[in-house]
Amino acid sequence: MGVLLSLFTFLGTGGCTKEQEYTTGGTTNNTDPNAPKVIQSKDITEFQASFFLANRWSGEEEHDFQFQIREENGVLTASEIIRDIRAQADEQLLKDLQAVIDKYDLASMNGVYEVTAGLAPECQEREFNAVYASGETLKFTINNEPYARWAEDIYDVFADWFSAQGIDALLPAKETSPVTRIRFVLREDGIMRSYSGVNVQPENAVDGETYLLNGEIYDLEKEKEILDEYLLFPPDYFERITEILAGYDIVTKYDFSRYDYEERNYGNHDNGYFGWGDQPAGEEDSEDLLLTLHLEYESGNRINIDTRKAREIEGMRPVITDLLEYYDSLFVWDRDKE
């Protein structure tokens, strides 16, 4: 969050706007009006893109990225120049990059050269260049936009691809400390399920312990309590929870999903979006679905997910399934018998 606040101070929430551009220096426009706006080929043979991204970073707070794909010693190689990482490019990487180009119609910017002098480093000119097997080229040079979604998608493609190669240098520092607190609530199919640690009165203590693990299951249709049970925490409880969540890198997804691109502010989480599903503008909250996942780590890091968005909940289905399987091993119930 300190990184985001520092960006707020300089960039505000609008990024490198036209108003900011023209008040900091003259603009040079050498755009080629004859550059084709449609690229027929889909087969990328070379690629270059660089940008500063407000909402993507590696390590602690490195926001600059320089991506490149070109032949090196006879091998088509994908690189990130700043971090000096490279691996042999494959067909999937090229297809995923082309999908981003098509999604945002980047070919419509072919030939554009429009840059402004005197901008801060975060907003200074950056070049995009793609060469195709057909000999066609897609090239434009513009002021950097720290909140550009197409640039974030390109980062995501490279970060995911390098991570699949065992190289995580493009990703933020991972949360490695154990989970110390969790509250998990799911409303679905007419059933409300809730699991969390709670403090009970001394007369309700178990073996003298007053901080217990509570599981509650309630049938909303029948308005009937199915289960309300208090247990001693299993000795490996938080270890198991940490292991389950570690496979999904929830912290990175949470941090990367704060920005609301429609409103141009950091209210995305308040609107129920956490980066797990497509974000159609104005998706209505579901009346039948609800997910709460609150986490606290030993490091002090906190995650608070509260959503009624169907696509978000569906995107989190693997996490939900793993957590439910674990809690069902602790709190046994059979809905068919209720």
Side-chain angles (χ1 to χ4, degrees), residues 270-304:
D270 293 337
N271 296 325
Y273 297 108
F274 297 89
W276 291 87
D278 295 334
Q279 184 185 329
E283 181 187 358
E284 296 293 331
D285 284 347
S286 171
E287 295 183 1
D288 302 319
L289 290 170
L290 176 148
L291 174 67
T292 289
L293 181 60
H294 293 178
L295 305 170
E296 184 171 342
Y297 290 83
E298 190 176 85
S299 64
N301 203 355
R302 294 186 178 185
I303 302 296
N304 291 314

PDB file of all heavy atoms in Angstrom, residues 270-304:
ATOM      1  N   ASP A 270     -14.123  -2.332  -2.810  1.00  0.00           N
ATOM      2  CA  ASP A 270     -15.391  -1.900  -2.223  1.00  0.00           C
ATOM      3  C   ASP A 270     -16.573  -2.318  -3.091  1.00  0.00           C
ATOM      4  O   ASP A 270     -17.683  -2.501  -2.591  1.00  0.00           O
ATOM      5  CB  ASP A 270     -15.414  -0.378  -2.048  1.00  0.00           C
ATOM      6  CG  ASP A 270     -14.419   0.106  -0.999  1.00  0.00           C
ATOM      7  OD1 ASP A 270     -14.047  -0.712  -0.130  1.00  0.00           O
ATOM      8  OD2 ASP A 270     -14.009   1.270  -1.068  1.00  0.00           O
ATOM      9  N   ASN A 271     -16.335  -2.466  -4.392  1.00  0.00           N
ATOM     10  CA  ASN A 271     -17.391  -2.868  -5.317  1.00  0.00           C
ATOM     11  C   ASN A 271     -17.500  -4.378  -5.484  1.00  0.00           C
ATOM     12  O   ASN A 271     -18.320  -4.860  -6.270  1.00  0.00           O
ATOM     13  CB  ASN A 271     -17.152  -2.220  -6.680  1.00  0.00           C
ATOM     14  CG  ASN A 271     -17.253  -0.708  -6.627  1.00  0.00           C
ATOM     15  OD1 ASN A 271     -18.063  -0.162  -5.863  1.00  0.00           O
ATOM     16  ND2 ASN A 271     -16.450  -0.013  -7.418  1.00  0.00           N
ATOM     17  N   GLY A 272     -16.667  -5.124  -4.757  1.00  0.00           N
ATOM     18  CA  GLY A 272     -16.777  -6.583  -4.792  1.00  0.00           C
ATOM     19  C   GLY A 272     -15.938  -7.275  -5.834  1.00  0.00           C
ATOM     20  O   GLY A 272     -16.160  -8.457  -6.122  1.00  0.00           O
ATOM     21  N   TYR A 273     -14.960  -6.562  -6.411  1.00  0.00           N
ATOM     22  CA  TYR A 273     -14.095  -7.152  -7.430  1.00  0.00           C
ATOM     23  C   TYR A 273     -12.688  -7.373  -6.878  1.00  0.00           C
ATOM     24  O   TYR A 273     -12.071  -6.452  -6.354  1.00  0.00           O
ATOM     25  CB  TYR A 273     -14.018  -6.247  -8.660  1.00  0.00           C
ATOM     26  CG  TYR A 273     -15.344  -6.045  -9.358  1.00  0.00           C
ATOM     27  CD1 TYR A 273     -16.013  -4.830  -9.276  1.00  0.00           C
ATOM     28  CD2 TYR A 273     -15.924  -7.079 -10.087  1.00  0.00           C
ATOM     29  CE1 TYR A 273     -17.222  -4.636  -9.909  1.00  0.00           C
ATOM     30  CE2 TYR A 273     -17.142  -6.897 -10.724  1.00  0.00           C
ATOM     31  CZ  TYR A 273     -17.784  -5.672 -10.635  1.00  0.00           C
ATOM     32  OH  TYR A 273     -18.991  -5.489 -11.259  1.00  0.00           O
ATOM     33  N   PHE A 274     -12.187  -8.614  -7.033  1.00  0.00           N
ATOM     34  CA  PHE A 274     -10.892  -8.962  -6.463  1.00  0.00           C
ATOM     35  C   PHE A 274      -9.994  -9.694  -7.466  1.00  0.00           C
ATOM     36  O   PHE A 274      -9.043 -10.364  -7.087  1.00  0.00           O
ATOM     37  CB  PHE A 274     -11.097  -9.819  -5.213  1.00  0.00           C
ATOM     38  CG  PHE A 274     -11.829  -9.091  -4.120  1.00  0.00           C
ATOM     39  CD1 PHE A 274     -13.212  -9.124  -4.052  1.00  0.00           C
ATOM     40  CD2 PHE A 274     -11.138  -8.338  -3.185  1.00  0.00           C
ATOM     41  CE1 PHE A 274     -13.901  -8.431  -3.061  1.00  0.00           C
ATOM     42  CE2 PHE A 274     -11.813  -7.637  -2.185  1.00  0.00           C
ATOM     43  CZ  PHE A 274     -13.192  -7.683  -2.134  1.00  0.00           C
ATOM     44  N   GLY A 275     -10.323  -9.568  -8.756  1.00  0.00           N
ATOM     45  CA  GLY A 275      -9.446 -10.082  -9.796  1.00  0.00           C
ATOM     46  C   GLY A 275      -9.596 -11.548 -10.129  1.00  0.00           C
ATOM     47  O   GLY A 275      -8.786 -12.108 -10.862  1.00  0.00           O
ATOM     48  N   TRP A 276     -10.669 -12.184  -9.648  1.00  0.00           N
ATOM     49  CA  TRP A 276     -10.837 -13.613  -9.882  1.00  0.00           C
ATOM     50  C   TRP A 276     -11.713 -13.931 -11.085  1.00  0.00           C
ATOM     51  O   TRP A 276     -11.699 -15.053 -11.581  1.00  0.00           O
ATOM     52  CB  TRP A 276     -11.412 -14.288  -8.639  1.00  0.00           C
ATOM     53  CG  TRP A 276     -10.444 -14.307  -7.509  1.00  0.00           C
ATOM     54  CD1 TRP A 276     -10.248 -13.331  -6.580  1.00  0.00           C
ATOM     55  CD2 TRP A 276      -9.509 -15.346  -7.193  1.00  0.00           C
ATOM     56  NE1 TRP A 276      -9.259 -13.682  -5.702  1.00  0.00           N
ATOM     57  CE2 TRP A 276      -8.787 -14.928  -6.054  1.00  0.00           C
ATOM     58  CE3 TRP A 276      -9.225 -16.587  -7.753  1.00  0.00           C
ATOM     59  CZ2 TRP A 276      -7.791 -15.706  -5.475  1.00  0.00           C
ATOM     60  CZ3 TRP A 276      -8.238 -17.365  -7.170  1.00  0.00           C
ATOM     61  CH2 TRP A 276      -7.533 -16.929  -6.049  1.00  0.00           C
ATOM     62  N   GLY A 277     -12.478 -12.976 -11.537  1.00  0.00           N
ATOM     63  CA  GLY A 277     -13.358 -13.219 -12.678  1.00  0.00           C
ATOM     64  C   GLY A 277     -13.383 -12.022 -13.599  1.00  0.00           C
ATOM     65  O   GLY A 277     -12.811 -10.972 -13.307  1.00  0.00           O
ATOM     66  N   ASP A 278     -14.041 -12.182 -14.757  1.00  0.00           N
ATOM     67  CA  ASP A 278     -14.226 -11.046 -15.637  1.00  0.00           C
ATOM     68  C   ASP A 278     -15.002  -9.976 -14.884  1.00  0.00           C
ATOM     69  O   ASP A 278     -15.819 -10.271 -14.012  1.00  0.00           O
ATOM     70  CB  ASP A 278     -15.011 -11.461 -16.888  1.00  0.00           C
ATOM     71  CG  ASP A 278     -14.238 -12.444 -17.744  1.00  0.00           C
ATOM     72  OD1 ASP A 278     -12.997 -12.421 -17.677  1.00  0.00           O
ATOM     73  OD2 ASP A 278     -14.870 -13.242 -18.454  1.00  0.00           O
ATOM     74  N   GLN A 279     -14.748  -8.728 -15.231  1.00  0.00           N
ATOM     75  CA  GLN A 279     -15.384  -7.633 -14.518  1.00  0.00           C
ATOM     76  C   GLN A 279     -16.286  -6.841 -15.460  1.00  0.00           C
ATOM     77  O   GLN A 279     -15.944  -5.745 -15.902  1.00  0.00           O
ATOM     78  CB  GLN A 279     -14.343  -6.701 -13.900  1.00  0.00           C
ATOM     79  CG  GLN A 279     -14.937  -5.592 -13.049  1.00  0.00           C
ATOM     80  CD  GLN A 279     -13.880  -4.640 -12.557  1.00  0.00           C
ATOM     81  OE1 GLN A 279     -12.751  -5.018 -12.335  1.00  0.00           O
ATOM     82  NE2 GLN A 279     -14.248  -3.389 -12.397  1.00  0.00           N
ATOM     83  N   PRO A 280     -17.471  -7.343 -15.776  1.00  0.00           N
ATOM     84  CA  PRO A 280     -18.374  -6.556 -16.610  1.00  0.00           C
ATOM     85  C   PRO A 280     -18.866  -5.343 -15.842  1.00  0.00           C
ATOM     86  O   PRO A 280     -19.141  -5.418 -14.651  1.00  0.00           O
ATOM     87  CB  PRO A 280     -19.526  -7.532 -16.897  1.00  0.00           C
ATOM     88  CG  PRO A 280     -19.511  -8.483 -15.752  1.00  0.00           C
ATOM     89  CD  PRO A 280     -18.069  -8.608 -15.344  1.00  0.00           C
ATOM     90  N   ALA A 281     -18.925  -4.203 -16.517  1.00  0.00           N
ATOM     91  CA  ALA A 281     -19.350  -2.976 -15.840  1.00  0.00           C
ATOM     92  C   ALA A 281     -20.752  -3.149 -15.281  1.00  0.00           C
ATOM     93  O   ALA A 281     -21.671  -3.600 -15.964  1.00  0.00           O
ATOM     94  CB  ALA A 281     -19.305  -1.806 -16.823  1.00  0.00           C
ATOM     95  N   GLY A 282     -20.903  -2.823 -14.005  1.00  0.00           N
ATOM     96  CA  GLY A 282     -22.227  -2.829 -13.397  1.00  0.00           C
ATOM     97  C   GLY A 282     -22.804  -4.201 -13.120  1.00  0.00           C
ATOM     98  O   GLY A 282     -24.032  -4.347 -13.046  1.00  0.00           O
ATOM     99  N   GLU A 283     -21.970  -5.225 -12.972  1.00  0.00           N
ATOM    100  CA  GLU A 283     -22.518  -6.537 -12.622  1.00  0.00           C
ATOM    101  C   GLU A 283     -23.266  -6.435 -11.303  1.00  0.00           C
ATOM    102  O   GLU A 283     -22.744  -5.939 -10.306  1.00  0.00           O
ATOM    103  CB  GLU A 283     -21.397  -7.577 -12.498  1.00  0.00           C
ATOM    104  CG  GLU A 283     -21.938  -8.968 -12.145  1.00  0.00           C
ATOM    105  CD  GLU A 283     -20.830  -9.979 -11.856  1.00  0.00           C
ATOM    106  OE1 GLU A 283     -19.646  -9.603 -11.977  1.00  0.00           O
ATOM    107  OE2 GLU A 283     -21.154 -11.125 -11.514  1.00  0.00           O
ATOM    108  N   GLU A 284     -24.506  -6.902 -11.294  1.00  0.00           N
ATOM    109  CA  GLU A 284     -25.336  -6.818 -10.101  1.00  0.00           C
ATOM    110  C   GLU A 284     -24.871  -7.819  -9.049  1.00  0.00           C
ATOM    111  O   GLU A 284     -24.393  -8.912  -9.376  1.00  0.00           O
ATOM    112  CB  GLU A 284     -26.803  -7.075 -10.447  1.00  0.00           C
ATOM    113  CG  GLU A 284     -27.421  -6.045 -11.378  1.00  0.00           C
ATOM    114  CD  GLU A 284     -27.554  -4.688 -10.734  1.00  0.00           C
ATOM    115  OE1 GLU A 284     -27.708  -4.628  -9.485  1.00  0.00           O
ATOM    116  OE2 GLU A 284     -27.498  -3.673 -11.457  1.00  0.00           O
ATOM    117  N   ASP A 285     -25.041  -7.459  -7.798  1.00  0.00           N
ATOM    118  CA  ASP A 285     -24.791  -8.403  -6.720  1.00  0.00           C
ATOM    119  C   ASP A 285     -25.833  -9.515  -6.771  1.00  0.00           C
ATOM    120  O   ASP A 285     -27.001  -9.279  -7.051  1.00  0.00           O
ATOM    121  CB  ASP A 285     -24.879  -7.711  -5.361  1.00  0.00           C
ATOM    122  CG  ASP A 285     -23.659  -6.863  -5.054  1.00  0.00           C
ATOM    123  OD1 ASP A 285     -22.654  -6.998  -5.770  1.00  0.00           O
ATOM    124  OD2 ASP A 285     -23.720  -6.065  -4.102  1.00  0.00           O
ATOM    125  N   SER A 286     -25.376 -10.722  -6.494  1.00  0.00           N
ATOM    126  CA  SER A 286     -26.290 -11.862  -6.436  1.00  0.00           C
ATOM    127  C   SER A 286     -27.063 -11.845  -5.121  1.00  0.00           C
ATOM    128  O   SER A 286     -26.529 -11.482  -4.074  1.00  0.00           O
ATOM    129  CB  SER A 286     -25.495 -13.167  -6.542  1.00  0.00           C
ATOM    130  OG  SER A 286     -26.327 -14.277  -6.279  1.00  0.00           O
ATOM    131  N   GLU A 287     -28.322 -12.228  -5.181  1.00  0.00           N
ATOM    132  CA  GLU A 287     -29.124 -12.332  -3.968  1.00  0.00           C
ATOM    133  C   GLU A 287     -28.865 -13.646  -3.240  1.00  0.00           C
ATOM    134  O   GLU A 287     -29.122 -13.758  -2.042  1.00  0.00           O
ATOM    135  CB  GLU A 287     -30.607 -12.211  -4.305  1.00  0.00           C
ATOM    136  CG  GLU A 287     -31.014 -10.852  -4.857  1.00  0.00           C
ATOM    137  CD  GLU A 287     -32.494 -10.746  -5.114  1.00  0.00           C
ATOM    138  OE1 GLU A 287     -33.220 -11.743  -4.846  1.00  0.00           O
ATOM    139  OE2 GLU A 287     -32.947  -9.684  -5.577  1.00  0.00           O
ATOM    140  N   ASP A 288     -28.374 -14.639  -3.961  1.00  0.00           N
ATOM    141  CA  ASP A 288     -28.224 -15.989  -3.394  1.00  0.00           C
ATOM    142  C   ASP A 288     -26.783 -16.361  -3.080  1.00  0.00           C
ATOM    143  O   ASP A 288     -26.547 -17.384  -2.434  1.00  0.00           O
ATOM    144  CB  ASP A 288     -28.809 -17.022  -4.362  1.00  0.00           C
ATOM    145  CG  ASP A 288     -30.273 -16.762  -4.665  1.00  0.00           C
ATOM    146  OD1 ASP A 288     -31.013 -16.422  -3.722  1.00  0.00           O
ATOM    147  OD2 ASP A 288     -30.662 -16.874  -5.834  1.00  0.00           O
ATOM    148  N   LEU A 289     -25.824 -15.571  -3.573  1.00  0.00           N
ATOM    149  CA  LEU A 289     -24.414 -15.900  -3.374  1.00  0.00           C
ATOM    150  C   LEU A 289     -23.749 -14.858  -2.489  1.00  0.00           C
ATOM    151  O   LEU A 289     -24.019 -13.663  -2.600  1.00  0.00           O
ATOM    152  CB  LEU A 289     -23.680 -15.954  -4.711  1.00  0.00           C
ATOM    153  CG  LEU A 289     -23.993 -17.105  -5.655  1.00  0.00           C
ATOM    154  CD1 LEU A 289     -23.348 -16.849  -7.005  1.00  0.00           C
ATOM    155  CD2 LEU A 289     -23.510 -18.420  -5.079  1.00  0.00           C
ATOM    156  N   LEU A 290     -22.855 -15.333  -1.639  1.00  0.00           N
ATOM    157  CA  LEU A 290     -22.050 -14.436  -0.809  1.00  0.00           C
ATOM    158  C   LEU A 290     -20.783 -15.163  -0.416  1.00  0.00           C
ATOM    159  O   LEU A 290     -20.811 -16.344  -0.073  1.00  0.00           O
ATOM    160  CB  LEU A 290     -22.819 -14.013   0.444  1.00  0.00           C
ATOM    161  CG  LEU A 290     -22.078 -13.138   1.466  1.00  0.00           C
ATOM    162  CD1 LEU A 290     -23.051 -12.192   2.151  1.00  0.00           C
ATOM    163  CD2 LEU A 290     -21.369 -13.990   2.528  1.00  0.00           C
ATOM    164  N   LEU A 291     -19.674 -14.451  -0.493  1.00  0.00           N
ATOM    165  CA  LEU A 291     -18.396 -15.017  -0.055  1.00  0.00           C
ATOM    166  C   LEU A 291     -17.660 -14.003   0.800  1.00  0.00           C
ATOM    167  O   LEU A 291     -17.507 -12.837   0.423  1.00  0.00           O
ATOM    168  CB  LEU A 291     -17.517 -15.396  -1.251  1.00  0.00           C
ATOM    169  CG  LEU A 291     -16.092 -15.856  -0.905  1.00  0.00           C
ATOM    170  CD1 LEU A 291     -16.125 -17.179  -0.150  1.00  0.00           C
ATOM    171  CD2 LEU A 291     -15.224 -15.960  -2.151  1.00  0.00           C
ATOM    172  N   THR A 292     -17.211 -14.452   1.954  1.00  0.00           N
ATOM    173  CA  THR A 292     -16.330 -13.668   2.812  1.00  0.00           C
ATOM    174  C   THR A 292     -15.091 -14.509   3.095  1.00  0.00           C
ATOM    175  O   THR A 292     -15.211 -15.660   3.513  1.00  0.00           O
ATOM    176  CB  THR A 292     -17.012 -13.298   4.142  1.00  0.00           C
ATOM    177  OG1 THR A 292     -18.028 -12.324   3.888  1.00  0.00           O
ATOM    178  CG2 THR A 292     -16.014 -12.714   5.130  1.00  0.00           C
ATOM    179  N   LEU A 293     -13.924 -13.927   2.828  1.00  0.00           N
ATOM    180  CA  LEU A 293     -12.673 -14.584   3.172  1.00  0.00           C
ATOM    181  C   LEU A 293     -11.743 -13.523   3.740  1.00  0.00           C
ATOM    182  O   LEU A 293     -11.198 -12.698   3.011  1.00  0.00           O
ATOM    183  CB  LEU A 293     -12.034 -15.255   1.954  1.00  0.00           C
ATOM    184  CG  LEU A 293     -10.729 -16.004   2.221  1.00  0.00           C
ATOM    185  CD1 LEU A 293     -10.937 -17.120   3.234  1.00  0.00           C
ATOM    186  CD2 LEU A 293     -10.139 -16.563   0.923  1.00  0.00           C
ATOM    187  N   HIS A 294     -11.632 -13.522   5.067  1.00  0.00           N
ATOM    188  CA  HIS A 294     -10.757 -12.583   5.759  1.00  0.00           C
ATOM    189  C   HIS A 294      -9.551 -13.341   6.291  1.00  0.00           C
ATOM    190  O   HIS A 294      -9.713 -14.357   6.982  1.00  0.00           O
ATOM    191  CB  HIS A 294     -11.493 -11.909   6.915  1.00  0.00           C
ATOM    192  CG  HIS A 294     -12.607 -11.007   6.485  1.00  0.00           C
ATOM    193  ND1 HIS A 294     -13.417 -10.346   7.371  1.00  0.00           N
ATOM    194  CD2 HIS A 294     -13.041 -10.652   5.240  1.00  0.00           C
ATOM    195  CE1 HIS A 294     -14.307  -9.622   6.714  1.00  0.00           C
ATOM    196  NE2 HIS A 294     -14.099  -9.799   5.419  1.00  0.00           N
ATOM    197  N   LEU A 295      -8.369 -12.835   5.980  1.00  0.00           N
ATOM    198  CA  LEU A 295      -7.128 -13.498   6.377  1.00  0.00           C
ATOM    199  C   LEU A 295      -6.197 -12.505   7.052  1.00  0.00           C
ATOM    200  O   LEU A 295      -6.143 -11.335   6.669  1.00  0.00           O
ATOM    201  CB  LEU A 295      -6.408 -14.078   5.157  1.00  0.00           C
ATOM    202  CG  LEU A 295      -7.178 -15.043   4.263  1.00  0.00           C
ATOM    203  CD1 LEU A 295      -6.391 -15.302   2.987  1.00  0.00           C
ATOM    204  CD2 LEU A 295      -7.454 -16.339   4.998  1.00  0.00           C
ATOM    205  N   GLU A 296      -5.470 -13.001   8.030  1.00  0.00           N
ATOM    206  CA  GLU A 296      -4.379 -12.223   8.604  1.00  0.00           C
ATOM    207  C   GLU A 296      -3.154 -13.125   8.682  1.00  0.00           C
ATOM    208  O   GLU A 296      -3.247 -14.290   9.090  1.00  0.00           O
ATOM    209  CB  GLU A 296      -4.740 -11.699   9.992  1.00  0.00           C
ATOM    210  CG  GLU A 296      -3.660 -10.796  10.583  1.00  0.00           C
ATOM    211  CD  GLU A 296      -4.097 -10.107  11.858  1.00  0.00           C
ATOM    212  OE1 GLU A 296      -5.320 -10.041  12.108  1.00  0.00           O
ATOM    213  OE2 GLU A 296      -3.210  -9.638  12.612  1.00  0.00           O
ATOM    214  N   TYR A 297      -2.022 -12.572   8.244  1.00  0.00           N
ATOM    215  CA  TYR A 297      -0.770 -13.315   8.242  1.00  0.00           C
ATOM    216  C   TYR A 297       0.111 -12.857   9.406  1.00  0.00           C
ATOM    217  O   TYR A 297      -0.051 -11.748   9.932  1.00  0.00           O
ATOM    218  CB  TYR A 297      -0.038 -13.118   6.916  1.00  0.00           C
ATOM    219  CG  TYR A 297      -0.707 -13.790   5.739  1.00  0.00           C
ATOM    220  CD1 TYR A 297      -1.751 -13.164   5.068  1.00  0.00           C
ATOM    221  CD2 TYR A 297      -0.312 -15.046   5.307  1.00  0.00           C
ATOM    222  CE1 TYR A 297      -2.370 -13.771   3.985  1.00  0.00           C
ATOM    223  CE2 TYR A 297      -0.932 -15.667   4.230  1.00  0.00           C
ATOM    224  CZ  TYR A 297      -1.963 -15.027   3.570  1.00  0.00           C
ATOM    225  OH  TYR A 297      -2.576 -15.635   2.503  1.00  0.00           O
ATOM    226  N   GLU A 298       1.044 -13.705   9.749  1.00  0.00           N
ATOM    227  CA  GLU A 298       1.959 -13.386  10.840  1.00  0.00           C
ATOM    228  C   GLU A 298       2.713 -12.090  10.570  1.00  0.00           C
ATOM    229  O   GLU A 298       3.085 -11.353  11.495  1.00  0.00           O
ATOM    230  CB  GLU A 298       2.939 -14.536  11.040  1.00  0.00           C
ATOM    231  CG  GLU A 298       3.793 -14.434  12.285  1.00  0.00           C
ATOM    232  CD  GLU A 298       4.661 -15.663  12.470  1.00  0.00           C
ATOM    233  OE1 GLU A 298       5.760 -15.700  11.876  1.00  0.00           O
ATOM    234  OE2 GLU A 298       4.221 -16.594  13.183  1.00  0.00           O
ATOM    235  N   SER A 299       2.929 -11.772   9.302  1.00  0.00           N
ATOM    236  CA  SER A 299       3.630 -10.547   8.918  1.00  0.00           C
ATOM    237  C   SER A 299       2.809  -9.296   9.203  1.00  0.00           C
ATOM    238  O   SER A 299       3.344  -8.184   9.167  1.00  0.00           O
ATOM    239  CB  SER A 299       3.950 -10.585   7.424  1.00  0.00           C
ATOM    240  OG  SER A 299       2.738 -10.593   6.664  1.00  0.00           O
ATOM    241  N   GLY A 300       1.513  -9.471   9.469  1.00  0.00           N
ATOM    242  CA  GLY A 300       0.615  -8.332   9.641  1.00  0.00           C
ATOM    243  C   GLY A 300      -0.197  -8.038   8.400  1.00  0.00           C
ATOM    244  O   GLY A 300      -1.120  -7.206   8.429  1.00  0.00           O
ATOM    245  N   ASN A 301       0.131  -8.696   7.292  1.00  0.00           N
ATOM    246  CA  ASN A 301      -0.619  -8.516   6.053  1.00  0.00           C
ATOM    247  C   ASN A 301      -2.054  -9.003   6.241  1.00  0.00           C
ATOM    248  O   ASN A 301      -2.283 -10.068   6.813  1.00  0.00           O
ATOM    249  CB  ASN A 301       0.051  -9.303   4.924  1.00  0.00           C
ATOM    250  CG  ASN A 301      -0.295  -8.751   3.562  1.00  0.00           C
ATOM    251  OD1 ASN A 301      -1.104  -7.842   3.430  1.00  0.00           O
ATOM    252  ND2 ASN A 301       0.321  -9.314   2.541  1.00  0.00           N
ATOM    253  N   ARG A 302      -3.017  -8.236   5.719  1.00  0.00           N
ATOM    254  CA  ARG A 302      -4.427  -8.599   5.857  1.00  0.00           C
ATOM    255  C   ARG A 302      -5.116  -8.608   4.508  1.00  0.00           C
ATOM    256  O   ARG A 302      -4.868  -7.748   3.663  1.00  0.00           O
ATOM    257  CB  ARG A 302      -5.151  -7.618   6.794  1.00  0.00           C
ATOM    258  CG  ARG A 302      -4.659  -7.686   8.237  1.00  0.00           C
ATOM    259  CD  ARG A 302      -5.505  -6.803   9.132  1.00  0.00           C
ATOM    260  NE  ARG A 302      -5.071  -6.903  10.528  1.00  0.00           N
ATOM    261  CZ  ARG A 302      -5.698  -6.319  11.537  1.00  0.00           C
ATOM    262  NH1 ARG A 302      -6.786  -5.586  11.312  1.00  0.00           N
ATOM    263  NH2 ARG A 302      -5.239  -6.456  12.767  1.00  0.00           N
ATOM    264  N   ILE A 303      -5.977  -9.584   4.330  1.00  0.00           N
ATOM    265  CA  ILE A 303      -6.774  -9.725   3.118  1.00  0.00           C
ATOM    266  C   ILE A 303      -8.239  -9.758   3.541  1.00  0.00           C
ATOM    267  O   ILE A 303      -8.633 -10.574   4.387  1.00  0.00           O
ATOM    268  CB  ILE A 303      -6.436 -11.028   2.363  1.00  0.00           C
ATOM    269  CG1 ILE A 303      -4.955 -11.082   2.003  1.00  0.00           C
ATOM    270  CG2 ILE A 303      -7.311 -11.188   1.133  1.00  0.00           C
ATOM    271  CD1 ILE A 303      -4.510 -10.019   1.055  1.00  0.00           C
ATOM    272  N   ASN A 304      -9.059  -8.875   2.969  1.00  0.00           N
ATOM    273  CA  ASN A 304     -10.485  -8.853   3.282  1.00  0.00           C
ATOM    274  C   ASN A 304     -11.283  -8.931   1.992  1.00  0.00           C
ATOM    275  O   ASN A 304     -11.447  -7.924   1.288  1.00  0.00           O
ATOM    276  CB  ASN A 304     -10.855  -7.580   4.056  1.00  0.00           C
ATOM    277  CG  ASN A 304     -10.270  -7.563   5.448  1.00  0.00           C
ATOM    278  OD1 ASN A 304     -10.338  -8.550   6.171  1.00  0.00           O
ATOM    279  ND2 ASN A 304      -9.659  -6.447   5.827  1.00  0.00           N
TER     280      ASN A 304
END
